[in-house]
Amino acid sequence: MQVFKFGGASVKDANGVKNLVTVLQKMGFKNTLIVVSAMGKTTNALEMVIANYFDKKNELQSSLQDVKKFHNAILLDLFENEQHPSFKRVNSLFEELSLFLETNKSPDYNFVYDQVIGYGELVSTIIISEYLNEVDLKNNWLDVREFIKTDNYYRSAHVNWDITQQQILNKFDKGILNITQGFLGSDSNNFTTTLGREGSDYTAAIFAYCLNAESVTIWKDVPGILNADPRYFENAQLLNKISYREAIELAFYGASVIHPKTLQPLQRKEIPLFVKSFLEPENKGTKVCKEAGLDPQIPCFIVKKNQVLISLSSLDFSYIVEDNLSDIFKLLHLYKMKVDVIQNSAISFSVCVDNMYQNLNPLLQHLKAKFKVTCNEKVSLYTIRHYNQAAISQIEKDKEVLLKQLTQETMQIVTK
Ligand code: ASP
Ligand code: MG
């Protein structure tokens, strides 16, 4: 068994769908499960629909219409003839969605969100399944909600592994080409749930785990996992091999590699994960597996822009120790600050945080009651895994370094 995951960018238009076929033809599709996300930016577009629905905006119908038109154009490109059954199938999904919006009585945003957002994946997999049949890649369309069972923590549901494993064992036919939706699951009342934005990789890992798959491949628009984000660093290099642990570390420091949630089930069964380019499927890409820390052994760079560095010292020169620290952390938690780095000395304490929820001002007010506070906004946090002097110099060049911290494998630098 192999599991292939195709994200929204890989199927953003008819050419993407055709390219998916090319990938399958080149790489083989025996005993394969394909997990697919919503096409292009559909999930964002459906988020607009949901917002319009709750805000009772007049744009509700037009935003819904945009989503329909986008898919209709792809259908026309792929099938030309509007009599093709795929048009009807897609249309009836959209009718189902409209009916839901007309009749829904629940005021619960998260619940409604999941019921609506799931249509992105349902529609994309119907279109792709139909197209695969059209080009004679006979396949079996699965409603993932019959397999992945979760609690009802809408928008970030937790998998019920026992029932999910049971459902997959009982209902999944390994001998054929299967296609299903990423991101979705269902609760015990069969309402749609979702696993969190960008959750399709996780879906692939859940199936791989339950099916004891040989491998998972995530098809991307980059050649694999790089040692730096090419948007911010020149000369980003491809990593050939990287251990689960290293990948989890990189993700922890903010690299948009692979979510740790995705890696955990794979790591438990030692199922290798490949990240490859859907444009160059024969290239090796990156293999994430148990062995090998990192190959090649080069520094990896992660940058988080727009962070906040807060430095505190006691008003009366008393030490900053356990009781102060516990107060500080309570406040950081209260204001939902994601802590990136901390550094402390006898009478001062610095923390670099991600102000994700725009709570900086109330936090500072609160802190100022007890401490002398200085705050630097819009700083950048650089993390270098497996640093060397050249890597450090490259980061520090032309920048004002506000804080620097190193452990054996990791260096963190906050710059202005
Ligand atoms: N379509 C969902 C999203 O954009 C899930 C995914 O792409 O993984 O978040
Ligand atoms: Mg997506």
Side-chain angles (χ1 to χ4, degrees):
M1 262 314 297
Q2 61 177 355
V3 180
F4 282 175
K5 182 260 173 171
F6 288 90
S10 70
V11 289
K12 67 179 193 310
D13 52 24
N15 279 335
V17 177
K18 290 177 185 167
N19 183 66
L20 180 149
V21 173
T22 309
V23 172
L24 292 180
Q25 281 164 341
K26 283 188 177 162
M27 306 315 291
F29 47 86
K30 247 185 98 189
N31 305 343
T32 301
L33 166 65
I34 316 175
V35 174
V36 191
S37 310
M39 290 173 150
K41 301 255 177 268
T42 299
T43 304
N44 292 354
L46 286 169
E47 283 187 343
M48 277 303 294
V49 172
I50 297 158
N52 288 337
Y53 173 77
F54 274 97
D55 298 343
K56 306 209 165 25
K57 286 249 176 72
N58 296 331
E59 290 86 0
L60 173 62
Q61 286 312 322
S62 66
S63 58
L64 195 54
Q65 212 51 41
D66 289 344
V67 179
K68 288 189 204 171
K69 274 193 215 144
F70 170 76
H71 290 93
N72 211 55
I74 295 177
L75 281 170
L76 280 171
D77 273 345
L78 290 172
F79 301 102
E80 285 158 22
N81 180 356
E82 282 186 56
Q83 298 314 311
H84 193 278
S86 54
F87 285 85
K88 234 189 180 153
R89 287 183 76 188
V90 168
N91 199 38
S92 69
L93 281 173
F94 281 124
E95 274 171 9
E96 215 180 273
L97 169 56
S98 294
L99 186 68
F100 170 81
L101 291 171
E102 278 159 31
T103 54
N104 170 61
K105 298 273 189 299
S106 170
D108 178 348
Y109 195 96
N110 293 344
F111 168 79
V112 171
Y113 180 102
D114 278 2
Q115 307 323 301
V116 173
I117 212 84
Y119 283 93
E121 270 71 12
L122 292 168
V123 170
S124 82
T125 50
I126 289 286
I127 295 176
I128 294 165
S129 171
E130 286 281 356
Y131 186 71
L132 289 172
N133 281 329
E134 189 77 4
V135 296
D136 259 352
L137 295 187
K138 295 293 170 237
N139 67 94
N140 189 28
W141 182 88
L142 300 175
D143 187 334
V144 75
R145 296 170 296 182
E146 292 175 22
F147 293 86
I148 295 187
K149 299 301 289 186
T150 70
D151 62 9
N152 61 2
Y153 196 73
Y154 298 110
R155 291 186 75 176
S156 199
H158 307 100
V159 174
N160 182 323
W161 284 91
D162 289 338
I163 306 180
T164 299
Q165 174 75 76
Q166 210 49 51
Q167 290 297 101
I168 292 178
L169 272 183
N170 293 344
K171 296 171 79 174
F172 191 94
D173 181 352
K174 285 189 182 187
I176 46 176
L177 174 62
N178 285 292
I179 174 168
T180 199
Q181 306 78 43
F183 183 44
L184 314 182
S186 71
D187 65 14
S188 57
N189 291 317
N190 296 324
F191 284 113
T192 306
T193 57
T194 61
L195 306 173
R197 283 299 308 259
E198 307 303 326
S200 296
D201 292 356
Y202 186 40
T203 306
I206 296 166
F207 273 100
Y209 180 91
C210 294
L211 291 164
N212 292 316
E214 248 156 62
S215 66
V216 173
T217 306
I218 298 180
W219 297 99
K220 285 198 162 233
D221 55 0
V222 288
I225 300 177
L226 306 176
N227 75 325
D229 185 334
R231 283 174 301 175
Y232 305 116
F233 296 89
E234 287 171 24
N235 311 324
Q237 267 177 274
L238 179 68
L239 302 173
N240 304 317
K241 247 191 199 180
I242 164 172
S243 65
Y244 298 116
R245 199 193 133 206
E246 186 64 37
I248 290 170
E249 293 271 359
L250 291 176
F252 173 79
Y253 290 111
S256 51
V257 235
I258 304 293
H259 199 280
K261 216 160 122 181
T262 300
L263 291 166
Q264 271 141 15
L266 300 178
Q267 181 177 26
R268 258 186 280 153
K269 286 203 176 166
E270 295 182 18
I271 299 167
L273 170 72
F274 295 92
V275 181
K276 295 190 187 195
S277 156
F278 56 73
L279 296 171
E280 292 166 329
E282 278 132 334
N283 287 3
K284 279 195 157 156
T286 302
K287 181 180 183 185
V288 186
C289 57
K290 189 175 167 232
E291 324 92 62
L294 197 60
D295 165 33
Q297 182 75 34
I298 49 174
C300 294
F301 299 88
I302 302 139
V303 60
K304 292 180 90 173
K305 303 249 171 181
N306 222 345
Q307 306 295 291
V308 184
L309 181 65
I310 304 169
S311 299
L312 309 172
S313 52
S314 46
L315 291 167
D316 55 0
F317 289 103
S318 61
Y319 293 146
I320 297 209
V321 287
E322 293 80 1
D323 58 342
N324 287 329
L325 286 173
S326 102
D327 288 343
I328 296 169
F329 276 101
K330 265 189 210 130
L331 291 176
L332 290 169
H333 179 68
L334 179 68
Y335 292 108
K336 293 188 174 161
M337 294 291 171
K338 170 146 190 331
V339 175
D340 299 317
V341 197
I342 52 177
Q343 196 164 64
N344 69 319
S345 70
I347 54 165
S348 78
F349 174 84
S350 297
V351 58
C352 186
V353 297
D354 199 339
N355 178 22
M356 284 200 290
Y357 296 92
Q358 309 308 322
N359 285 333
L360 184 62
N361 283 332
L363 169 70
L364 293 178
Q365 287 316 319
H366 221 135
L367 286 170
K368 278 178 183 161
K370 284 188 117 175
F371 302 96
K372 183 168 168 283
V373 181
T374 52
C375 173
N376 262 296
E377 291 183 60
K378 297 204 166 57
V379 299
S380 299
L381 168 66
Y382 290 88
T383 302
I384 316 172
R385 290 274 299 162
H386 313 286
Y387 57 88
N388 55 29
Q389 193 47 53
I392 298 170
S393 308
Q394 184 188 333
I395 297 303
E396 290 185 341
K397 202 172 135 238
D398 308 326
K399 293 185 198 90
E400 185 190 342
V401 174
L402 301 175
L403 184 152
K404 196 162 158 176
Q405 192 170 79
L406 61 162
T407 61
Q408 215 174 2
E409 288 173 318
T410 309
M411 165 134 209
Q412 296 196 286
I413 304 173
V414 177
T415 69
K416 187 83 188 155

